[in-house]
Amino acid sequence: MKLLLVEDEPLLSQSVCQYLNEEGYLVTTAGTYQEASQKINDYDYECVVVDLMLPDGQGLDLVRTLKQRKSPAGIIIVTAKDALADKLTGLELGADDYLTKPFHLPELNARLRAVLRRRLFGGQEQWQVGELTLWPGQQRVSVQGEDVKLTGKEYELLLFLATNAERILSKTAIVEHVWGDAMDVADSHEFLYTHVKNLRRKLTAAGCPDYVQTRYGMGYLFSVKNA
């Protein structure tokens, strides 16, 4: 899942980012209000973790911006121990959850997984789409009850395509989501073709219909209806 971490303390930001990357998230960081504002304007995220106290602005204003733009991103706010009023305001604005500093990294991970399950999968531990069953919290997929071994990136690619079923996704949108914001400067998306090819091969070999369709000049479409 693609996350934005808005935190101005470098050491905390680094430790959280490292931990979440190891847990399978794709994490982008921002250390200031201005940087965070630019990133939520330019990119889409499944979840935004935002510290309410930033050196050049208020994290609450970022929450307001996300809600005004009707962003589907989950929002977890991070507050100081004595910031009850800000915590309540954040929840009233539409934040999904909050953490009080200092917090344990596994607790953040648990909150993230809960928010993402509610946002993307209606709280379900597993999700059925066509002949596929996906367990988002476990990075696991099966076809007709038989597990299919995918690499981490192949699984992220499948999950992004499947959660956007019946929508044509551009190569740029897919690359930015699965490989990160920095990949938007890549001159070639040839590596994406390779990953899509391998994903399709593994799924069809397991007996799954070919749900991933190429739309030349546009991108890719995940479609159960037209398989």
Side-chain angles (χ1 to χ4, degrees), residues 115-183:
V115 168
L116 291 169
R117 281 199 301 272
R118 291 198 300 268
R119 288 274 172 175
L120 295 178
F121 308 104
Q124 301 176 83
E125 292 291 341
Q126 66 182 58
W127 183 52
Q128 187 79 36
V129 53
E131 299 293 329
L132 296 170
T133 304
L134 298 100
W135 287 262
Q138 302 175 36
Q139 290 200 342
R140 176 186 166 200
V141 60
S142 70
V143 176
Q144 300 176 356
E146 296 294 327
D147 283 1
V148 180
K149 292 184 178 180
L150 301 179
T151 67
K153 289 304 180 187
E154 288 167 355
Y155 186 85
E156 291 175 30
L157 176 60
L158 172 61
L159 198 59
F160 185 50
L161 292 170
T163 53
N164 288 278
E166 312 304 331
R167 292 177 55 197
I168 296 176
L169 299 173
S170 71
K171 293 179 181 179
T172 298
I174 296 171
V175 168
E176 287 178 2
H177 182 93
V178 178
W179 281 270
D181 303 342
M183 293 303 295

Side-chain angles (χ1 to χ4, degrees), residues 173-213:
I174 296 171
V175 168
E176 287 178 2
H177 182 93
V178 178
W179 281 270
D181 303 342
M183 293 303 295
D184 63 0
V185 300
D187 294 330
S188 171
H189 293 155
E190 187 67 25
F191 67 95
L192 173 60
Y193 168 78
T194 300
H195 278 80
V196 171
K197 179 181 178 181
N198 290 338
L199 173 62
R200 295 171 78 172
R201 175 178 54 80
K202 290 181 179 181
L203 293 178
T204 55
C208 181
D210 191 3
Y211 296 142
V212 183
Q213 303 171 12

Side-chain angles (χ1 to χ4, degrees), residues 11-147:
L11 291 179
L12 178 58
S13 177
Q14 182 179 358
S15 64
V16 171
C17 185
Q18 180 178 348
Y19 173 81
L20 293 179
N21 281 328
E22 292 172 354
E23 290 296 312
Y25 298 94
L26 182 65
V27 185
T28 299
T29 60
T32 65
Y33 173 88
Q34 182 177 2
E35 184 181 7
S37 182
Q38 185 67 48
K39 288 189 174 182
I40 63 175
N41 180 67
D42 292 345
Y43 304 104
D44 293 323
Y45 302 93
E46 269 77 40
C47 194
V48 178
V49 180
V50 54
D51 191 333
L52 296 187
M53 298 299 294
L54 299 170
D56 59 338
Q58 294 293 321
L60 287 173
D61 289 331
L62 293 174
V63 178
R64 290 189 181 95
T65 298
L66 287 164
K67 289 303 176 181
Q68 288 168 358
R69 294 178 181 172
K70 301 187 185 302
S71 169
I75 303 172
I76 296 178
I77 55 176
V78 178
T79 67
K81 281 186 176 180
D82 57 352
L84 177 60
D86 286 342
K87 183 190 305 177
L88 295 176
T89 300
L91 294 174
E92 288 170 359
L93 288 173
D96 296 275
D97 207 342
Y98 69 88
L99 277 171
T100 301
K101 287 185 176 180
F103 55 83
H104 295 290
L105 295 177
E107 181 182 6
L108 171 59
N109 187 27
R111 302 289 183 94
L112 281 169
R113 292 192 182 281
V115 168
L116 291 169
R117 281 199 301 272
R118 291 198 300 268
R119 288 274 172 175
L120 295 178
F121 308 104
Q124 301 176 83
E125 292 291 341
Q126 66 182 58
W127 183 52
Q128 187 79 36
V129 53
E131 299 293 329
L132 296 170
T133 304
L134 298 100
W135 287 262
Q138 302 175 36
Q139 290 200 342
R140 176 186 166 200
V141 60
S142 70
V143 176
Q144 300 176 356
E146 296 294 327
D147 283 1

